[in-house]
Amino acid sequence: MASDPLNEPILVTGGYDHTIRVWQPYTSQCVRTMQHVDSQVNSLDISPKRNMLAACGYQHIRLYDLVSNYPIVNFEGVTKNVTRVGFQEDGKWMFTGGEDGKVRIWDMSSPNPSCKRIFDCQSPVNAVCLLPNQVELLMAHQGGGIYLWDVKSDQHDHLLPEVECSIQDVAVSPNGAYMAAINNKGSCFIWMLTSWSGPPGQETQLTRSEAKLKIQAHEKYGLRCKFSPDSTLLVTCSGDSTARIYSTETWTLQAELRIDRFWIWDAAFNNDSKYLFTASSDSMVRLWRIDTKTVEREYAGHLKAVTALAFQDEPIRSSTTDTTGTGLTSTH
């Protein structure tokens, strides 16, 4: 059965078997396999127009055409592991971060994208996250800190939530209210965010963060944290074989999703925040129903650990009869 990446829900996964797989999420069918030669896949992101896929790994950043399956751009000039890739909401630019300590901004307006800006974190970068304002980036590094960088004004700030640890991931809620970070000790930190607004004509200031609480989310290595689309949930993933979901209203544990023995590397919510995809070291991708904590579907095909996934649901329809945009659940 043919797949239409522009209009249907699309799930993309990658890992240590040097392949990227494209799935129909509601049938568990793998519709395409793309080769990511020379490197494992560390991070994936689907472009806003859903026609391209960015993938990064060891010394490689590639852009794939989701219709033809072929890599159309191979980004040059990166060394070591590239750990994170993502698009600005209009697709005008792309960001990457890696173990060389550099976060790069790539201009996507030409057929041959070029690096326009670089921020040096002076420590290997584990994660990069774009704020909803589409101007500021959060950059988590192995030195234990998080940089906040305004790409337009070049202002920056630095948070150091806990010494002698590595911040593995950082995330911001879609409503812009909260920031979360998880470290290699399984600790999850939560901040409240506020945008600075001054008199007209004055230079805008960086988003302000106020430390809220620390959650001992996992017993072992923390790997990933991500907010749900409706900003009501936060998921954390770990080397302790669990993904744990917290309420952003009370910061209490709502669900623990557990597999046997293996690390859970990545996760993604669906549009209505009722389902969660996970990628793990047992070469499996799973779709969980959060309220029942049960596996609804399994996606088998990878031969080694699955370390990255990206998901986009059907476009939200501007209809008075259907405003949920829950493409996955409506066909589930």
Side-chain angles (χ1 to χ4, degrees), residues 283-313:
S283 76
M284 295 295 293
V285 177
R286 294 173 174 85
L287 174 66
W288 304 78
R289 180 169 169 169
I290 296 171
D291 61 354
T292 60
K293 308 179 187 64
T294 54
V295 176
E296 296 279 308
R297 300 203 184 283
E298 291 184 338
Y299 306 80
H302 283 285
L303 302 178
K304 294 183 179 180
V306 186
T307 50
L309 56 79
F311 174 72
Q312 281 203 17
D313 223 324

Side-chain angles (χ1 to χ4, degrees), residues 132-301:
N133 61 24
Q134 303 297 303
V135 174
E136 293 170 296
L137 287 172
L138 288 165
M139 304 165 288
H141 60 83
Q142 290 183 19
I146 303 165
Y147 280 100
L148 175 64
W149 176 34
D150 186 312
V151 177
K152 278 190 175 179
S153 69
D154 211 31
Q155 296 179 87
H156 70 272
D157 197 6
H158 193 218
L159 295 170
L160 198 65
E162 190 171 82
V163 296
E164 297 181 359
C165 70
S166 171
I167 303 294
Q168 298 301 115
D169 198 16
V170 62
V172 174
S173 59
N175 64 6
Y178 297 108
M179 177 175 96
I182 194 164
N183 69 14
N184 59 344
K185 298 178 181 179
S187 299
C188 183
F189 302 89
I190 307 296
W191 291 264
M192 294 183 67
L193 299 181
T194 54
S195 297
W196 187 91
S197 58
Q202 284 197 9
E203 185 180 13
T204 57
Q205 301 294 309
L206 290 169
T207 295
R208 294 176 177 177
S209 59
E210 179 185 345
K212 184 172 177 63
L213 77 157
K214 173 184 174 182
I215 302 169
Q216 193 57 45
H218 297 275
E219 296 78 29
K220 294 182 180 178
Y221 213 89
L223 293 167
R224 201 80 158 96
C225 60
K226 190 176 288 186
F227 287 93
S228 60
D230 63 7
S231 301
T232 64
L233 301 172
L234 171 72
V235 64
T236 61
C237 303
S238 168
D240 67 4
S241 305
T242 68
R244 291 179 177 161
I245 299 171
Y246 295 86
S247 161
T248 58
E249 184 178 354
T250 60
W251 300 108
T252 54
L253 184 65
Q254 299 295 294
E256 179 183 273
L257 312 178
R258 180 177 289 275
I259 62 172
D260 186 30
R261 299 196 314 278
F262 296 94
W263 288 27
I264 297 181
W265 283 91
D266 202 355
F269 290 92
N270 79 313
N271 262 15
D272 68 3
S273 308
K274 293 180 179 177
Y275 291 84
L276 183 80
F277 295 95
T278 60
S280 46
S281 295
D282 59 356
S283 76
M284 295 295 293
V285 177
R286 294 173 174 85
L287 174 66
W288 304 78
R289 180 169 169 169
I290 296 171
D291 61 354
T292 60
K293 308 179 187 64
T294 54
V295 176
E296 296 279 308
R297 300 203 184 283
E298 291 184 338
Y299 306 80

